[in-house]
Amino acid sequence: MMSGSHNPWISFSDIMTALMVVFMFIAISYIVEIDQEQKERNKIIEEFRDVKAELFDVLREEFSDDFKQWGVELDRDLSIKFTNPEVLFASGRSDLTPRFKAILDDFFPRYLDIIMKPKYADRISEVRIEGHTDTTALRFYGDSYISNTVLSQLRSSEVLRYLRAMPRYRQLTGEEEKQLQFWLTSNGLSYGRTLDDNKELTAYSNRPVNNEYSRRVEFRIVTTSDEVVEEFLRSL
């Protein structure tokens, strides 16, 4: 056998080196892909946050003076709280008072003009009309909470009925009405979400219930950012 002859086989160490290089490139490619996906998700979430902030600013600019006059609160979660019970309904009744009808006549057409802008078409998933009661024990159905649920549902439904009868609503195109019917819901929430003296949810503040503020109607815009966040969490 000749000494110093060339070995035609690649050494084991060379094979391992080559494999390490391949795995390194695969790992880098994966990291770059994950980073790009994360940037895209962050961009989408940020865009929806911007829309939510924009809607808040637009609503505040449009209604700031009126809300002070009506005793209405606008929160950054895009909820508009009508918290003056004497203005809204008679005690234990679902009939809208003449004063509340007058406020809705002024409020809703302008509110509609804002939310129906084309740029919000795929940014809004729901517009809730919520009825809330105080903790007064009603016994229509034996169970006070259920009795108040029925009352609050009747009230929110009555608001929705009144809005649908407005001239502004009847001016909607077929597509606009279809869109709004998909968005608008009436929700009776009984006294599950009572407010305190600062008009904050007592479930979070742990302060005593203010029954006057708790008897209210809310208009709440729910944006599709919630769906985006849920989809993001599912992808983790």
Side-chain angles (χ1 to χ4, degrees), residues 10-235:
I10 301 175
S11 69
F12 180 75
S13 61
D14 290 337
I15 293 175
M16 292 303 297
T17 300
L19 288 174
M20 288 178 61
V21 171
V22 171
F23 288 141
M24 182 181 68
F25 278 113
I26 292 174
I28 291 173
S29 299
Y30 178 75
I31 292 171
V32 170
E33 181 180 353
I34 293 298
D35 183 63
Q36 183 62 32
E37 290 178 356
Q38 183 63 50
K39 288 180 179 178
E40 291 175 358
R41 291 191 189 101
N42 290 342
K43 181 180 179 182
I44 292 172
I45 292 173
E46 192 61 35
E47 286 176 356
F48 279 104
R49 285 175 178 168
D50 290 344
V51 168
K52 202 165 186 176
E54 178 184 324
L55 275 167
F56 175 83
D57 290 339
V58 171
L59 289 168
R60 181 175 58 181
E61 181 178 356
E62 175 66 30
F63 292 109
S64 181
D65 294 337
D66 297 301
F67 284 171
K68 292 177 183 177
Q69 179 183 349
W70 299 336
V72 171
E73 302 285 334
L74 169 65
D75 287 344
R76 288 199 171 272
D77 64 358
L78 301 182
S79 63
I80 297 173
K81 296 178 173 64
F82 293 80
T83 55
N84 189 336
E86 287 74 22
V87 168
L88 306 179
F89 307 96
S91 178
R93 301 289 300 274
S94 61
D95 313 75
L96 277 64
T97 66
R99 174 59 178 156
F100 192 25
K101 289 180 179 180
I103 290 175
L104 290 175
D105 288 341
D106 190 359
F107 165 75
F108 189 66
R110 295 154 61 193
Y111 184 71
L112 205 56
D113 288 342
I114 291 172
I115 66 174
M116 294 300 294
K117 290 180 179 179
K119 64 180 178 178
Y120 300 134
D122 61 348
R123 295 294 190 262
I124 294 175
S125 64
E126 186 180 0
V127 179
R128 298 176 183 169
I129 303 171
E130 297 179 352
H132 300 262
T133 67
D134 60 22
T135 57
T136 300
L138 300 177
R139 298 295 178 185
F140 303 148
Y141 296 91
D143 183 321
S144 178
Y145 184 83
I146 297 300
S147 298
N148 276 283
T149 299
V150 172
L151 177 60
S152 59
Q153 182 64 56
L154 287 172
R155 287 175 169 176
S156 63
S157 297
E158 184 63 18
V159 171
L160 179 57
R161 186 201 67 78
Y162 186 76
L163 301 180
R164 286 174 58 85
M166 283 185 177
R168 176 65 181 88
Y169 189 97
R170 296 184 178 278
Q171 293 170 0
L172 296 171
T173 66
E175 284 300 312
E176 288 174 334
E177 184 176 16
K178 184 178 179 180
Q179 177 73 74
L180 202 56
Q181 287 178 161
F182 179 78
W183 281 347
L184 275 178
T185 62
S186 64
N187 305 266
L189 299 176
S190 191
Y191 48 75
R193 301 183 182 182
T194 52
L195 301 181
D196 61 24
D197 290 340
N198 296 324
K199 297 185 179 180
E200 296 177 356
L201 291 169
T202 57
Y204 298 143
S205 70
N206 292 316
R207 287 191 286 264
V209 172
N210 183 310
N211 275 329
E212 180 177 348
Y213 291 156
S214 296
R215 298 194 301 272
R216 67 194 189 279
V217 169
E218 293 190 19
F219 285 76
R220 182 186 301 271
I221 298 172
V222 180
T223 67
T224 48
S225 58
D226 298 331
E227 298 173 4
V228 172
V229 171
E230 288 177 5
E231 183 178 349
F232 168 70
L233 292 175
R234 285 195 299 268
S235 68

